[in-house]
Amino acid sequence: MGSPFLLQPSRSLTEEAMAAAGQSQDDLKRIAALRAVELVRSGMVLGLGTGSTAAHALDRICDLLRGGDLRDIVGIPTSEWAAARAAAANIPLTDLAAHPVVDLSIDGADKVDPALNLVKGRGGSLLREKMVEGASRRFVVIVDDSKLVSRLGGSGLAIPVEVIPFGWALTLRRLQNLFDGTPGFNLKLCTASINTKASAFTEKESEIEPFVTDNKNYIVDLFFEDGIHGDLQAISDDLLRIIGVVEHGMFLGLATSVIVARKDGVVLMDKEAKSNGF
């Protein structure tokens, strides 16, 4: 059986696919980001994603604004990093209070399953990402093909859960109890070097402290040896019912399109294509 991700490339991606041949992984992400930015129109409210892939989209939007091809764009950043990057690129910023409906969000993802469910937020920005992208009329995700998985949680990488610092150890035990009996399940508090809040982690007990999100919360990483089995929405609801849990990194049903950068080009996956059997 073929991979559920091997969809036919969109015709509009043909030139990008040709240009992508022989490019590095970062080049492919940039090409996919440029394709996503083609959806941006003057006057839009944009959700501005976080991370290296989203940075390519931010840079392109800046270029279009500077050249006069886009006008009257305002952005809602999904992290302090995105806010700083957008401000440096002279992209005007706003917030959800002023604009509760976002026209388009463009962001990366840590993992994507065949139903276009995502794992996001391993960098700690999951809460703001989900708030902005959940308020979006259209949410376009940019990834490389290493991010495609058959089941969320099955890659060995963590699914992050944001928790408040107060009583975090009790919240961790409640998370453990929720998955008690699940083979290969493990969890741990995400930690970071005292000297940097970035993703440079260390196992030396004398040099670590809890990783702190932009919202001044902690992250608990959930690990599943064989991925998450069962109803993802029901598991999501169970997680959010735990007192002390703020949000989790499963983004279920939020992505409208996924642009996948591959060595042989870029492939467009979207809900309409899936519903038509592609």
Side-chain angles (χ1 to χ4, degrees):
M1 181 180 294
S3 166
F5 291 104
L6 297 182
L7 308 180
Q8 292 297 318
S10 164
R11 288 184 181 180
S12 62
L13 293 179
T14 301
E15 292 182 4
E16 287 90 340
M18 293 174 63
Q23 300 294 316
S24 71
Q25 204 76 359
D26 191 62
D27 289 334
L28 291 173
K29 291 179 181 180
R30 180 182 56 80
I31 291 167
L34 297 184
R35 175 65 181 93
V37 173
E38 290 179 10
L39 301 170
V40 178
R41 299 290 181 267
S42 293
M44 275 188 168
V45 179
L46 299 178
L48 306 178
T50 297
S52 59
T53 306
H56 290 305
L58 287 170
D59 291 345
R60 178 57 175 164
I61 292 167
C62 174
D63 290 342
L64 293 172
L65 285 170
R66 187 165 47 237
D69 297 294
L70 286 177
R71 299 179 304 278
D72 303 320
I73 294 294
V74 292
I76 302 179
T78 56
S79 66
E80 298 296 332
W81 175 93
R85 182 88 182 209
N90 296 316
I91 298 174
L93 298 181
T94 186
D95 56 34
L96 289 173
H99 295 90
V101 178
V102 180
D103 295 307
L104 170 67
S105 286
I106 300 173
D107 204 356
D110 298 312
K111 295 296 172 184
V112 183
D113 79 2
L116 307 191
N117 295 315
L118 317 172
V119 172
K120 286 178 52 59
R122 294 188 67 249
S125 302
L126 62 99
L127 176 58
R128 297 190 192 188
E129 288 175 338
K130 191 173 285 190
M131 291 181 70
V132 173
E133 291 151 7
S136 301
R137 291 191 175 99
R138 186 168 189 182
F139 173 29
V140 177
V141 180
I142 308 168
V143 296
D144 63 78
D145 57 2
S146 69
K147 306 297 177 67
L148 306 181
V149 293
S150 60
R151 181 182 297 116
L152 295 189
S155 64
L157 295 179
I159 293 178
V161 177
E162 187 161 349
V163 304
I164 66 169
F166 179 80
W168 70 265
L170 174 59
T171 306
L172 189 145
R173 286 197 293 272
R174 287 172 171 164
L175 287 166
Q176 177 73 64
N177 291 339
L178 179 62
F179 295 100
D180 187 39
T182 301
F185 173 76
N186 194 13
L187 80 174
K188 68 176 183 178
L189 183 70
C190 183
T191 56
S193 166
I194 289 174
N195 295 322
T196 176
K197 185 189 165 188
S199 58
F201 302 119
T202 175
E203 296 299 326
K204 296 180 181 178
E205 294 296 331
S206 61
E207 299 179 3
I208 63 172
E209 62 178 10
F211 176 91
V212 179
T213 72
D214 288 345
N215 309 302
K216 311 305 181 187
N217 293 320
Y218 293 169
I219 294 289
V220 175
D221 285 333
L222 309 184
F223 298 91
F224 298 85
E225 188 174 276
D226 190 37
I228 301 178
H229 293 262
D231 186 332
L232 292 178
Q233 191 59 61
I235 293 169
S236 168
D237 293 344
D238 288 342
L239 284 167
L240 295 176
R241 277 195 290 266
I242 295 176
I243 297 172
V245 168
V246 179
E247 190 50 86
H248 59 73
M250 291 190 297
F251 285 51
L252 307 179
L254 292 183
T256 51
S257 302
V258 178
I259 297 175
V260 184
R262 308 189 310 190
K263 289 297 184 182
D264 58 348
V266 271
V267 172
L268 175 66
M269 303 166 60
D270 59 39
K271 289 182 178 179
E272 181 180 355
K274 286 184 64 60
S275 67
N276 288 334
F278 290 97

